């Protein structure tokens, strides 16, 4: 694994800091204030993946205004329940031709921008991605179960099999980031409550510090962020 790089901090004077960039947020529950937060320490758990088998070449965070707002509420409550400090790490990442990736996304627009937003796909490209994901799943489950999952939408498939995103990105180096839905594990089950999870938009991306416009910790601007 490469040595973590300190990311550029937030600067209110930076002109057009969000121009051509999208932002996302991750969450860390800690017992004490850290001086540095490695972004990998903040990776939210995703249902359908093994926490002990996380990839070294990809990371992820919560994406989209609504999902981020919901996640902040869930993690804030979890921090209170567990008596821990909550730190919300926000990154802005730049993409070429970003506007192309927001509506009627095609393979060519993904090649141009590097960003694949699975909820904004043109119908034919969405079907193509669904067929690819089904090809990953076929053979791993029974024929009966495969017949059932074949009726699911692409979004439902990605929720059930989030690691399909990892394989898809590894097979296509031009995909720098992939926005999809997933069930985020907010808190594990304990003697006071059931496990807490929420279906949210997530962005899985290649950890390239050169693409990061800025990074900040909402609760404490003095904490550095590395990637």
């Amino acid at each position: 694994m490469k040595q973590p790089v300190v990311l550029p901090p937030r600067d209110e004077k930076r002109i057009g800091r969000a121009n051509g960039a999208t932002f996302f947020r991750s969450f860390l529950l800690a017992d004490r204030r850290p001086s540095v937060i490695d972004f990998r320490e903040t990776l939210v758990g995703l249902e359908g993946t093994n926490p002990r088998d996380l990839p070294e070449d990809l990371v992820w965070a919560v994406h989209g205004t609504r999902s981020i707002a919901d996640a902040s509420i869930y993690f804030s409550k979890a921090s209170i329940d567990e008596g821990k400090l909550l730190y919300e790490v926000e990154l802005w990442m730049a993409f070429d031709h970003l506007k192309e990736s927001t509506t009627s996304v095609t393979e060519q627009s993904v090649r141009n921008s590097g960003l694949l937003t699975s909820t904004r796909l043109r119908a034919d490209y969405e079907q193509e991605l669904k067929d690819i994901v089904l090809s990953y799943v076929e053979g791993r489950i029974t024929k009966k179960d495969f017949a059932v999952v074949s009726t699911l939408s692409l979004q439902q498939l990605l929720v059930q099999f989030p690691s399909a995103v990892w394989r898809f990105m590894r097979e296509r180096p031009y995909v720098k980031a992939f926005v999809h839905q997933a069930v985020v594990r907010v808190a594990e089950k304990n003697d006071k409550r059931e496990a807490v999870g929420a279906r949210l938009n997530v962005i899985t991306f290649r950890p390239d510090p050169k693409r990061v416009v800025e990074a900040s910790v909402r609760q404490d601007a003095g904490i550095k962020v590395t990637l």
Side-chain angles (χ1 to χ4, degrees), residues 54-70:
L54 298 181
E56 293 188 359
D57 57 334
L58 298 168
V59 290
W60 51 87
V62 179
H63 183 273
T65 304
R66 176 63 183 273
S67 289
I68 287 174
D70 288 348

Side-chain angles (χ1 to χ4, degrees), residues 140-183:
R140 293 175 47 192
I141 58 179
T142 66
K143 290 183 177 181
K144 182 178 180 180
D145 288 340
F146 183 76
V148 174
V149 300
S150 295
T151 66
L152 300 178
S153 68
L154 173 63
Q155 294 305 323
Q156 291 170 327
L157 279 172
L158 295 177
V159 169
Q160 292 288 325
F161 307 100
S163 61
V165 171
W166 305 347
R167 179 172 174 180
F168 184 88
M169 292 181 67
R170 287 175 180 138
E171 293 175 353
R172 294 161 182 82
Y174 61 86
V175 181
K176 308 302 181 185
F178 192 131
V179 177
H180 56 101
Q181 295 183 343
V183 175

Side-chain angles (χ1 to χ4, degrees), residues 80-177:
I80 294 171
D81 290 346
E82 298 180 20
K84 294 189 175 182
L85 301 171
L86 171 63
Y87 295 101
E88 300 177 68
V89 180
E90 186 165 290
L91 263 63
W92 287 83
M93 180 168 279
F95 292 93
D96 297 329
H97 309 287
L98 181 61
K99 290 184 179 180
E100 291 183 22
S101 66
T102 60
T103 57
S104 191
V105 176
T106 64
E107 180 180 332
Q108 188 57 54
S109 62
V110 175
R111 287 180 178 273
N112 292 341
S113 68
L115 176 62
L116 194 162
T117 304
S118 63
T119 56
R120 306 288 180 86
L121 303 179
R122 202 169 72 177
D124 56 343
Y125 191 39
E126 181 173 359
Q127 183 60 50
E128 180 182 336
L129 262 65
K130 177 180 175 179
D131 291 342
I132 291 171
V133 173
L134 285 174
S135 73
Y136 296 162
V137 175
E138 190 172 16
R140 293 175 47 192
I141 58 179
T142 66
K143 290 183 177 181
K144 182 178 180 180
D145 288 340
F146 183 76
V148 174
V149 300
S150 295
T151 66
L152 300 178
S153 68
L154 173 63
Q155 294 305 323
Q156 291 170 327
L157 279 172
L158 295 177
V159 169
Q160 292 288 325
F161 307 100
S163 61
V165 171
W166 305 347
R167 179 172 174 180
F168 184 88
M169 292 181 67
R170 287 175 180 138
E171 293 175 353
R172 294 161 182 82
Y174 61 86
V175 181
K176 308 302 181 185

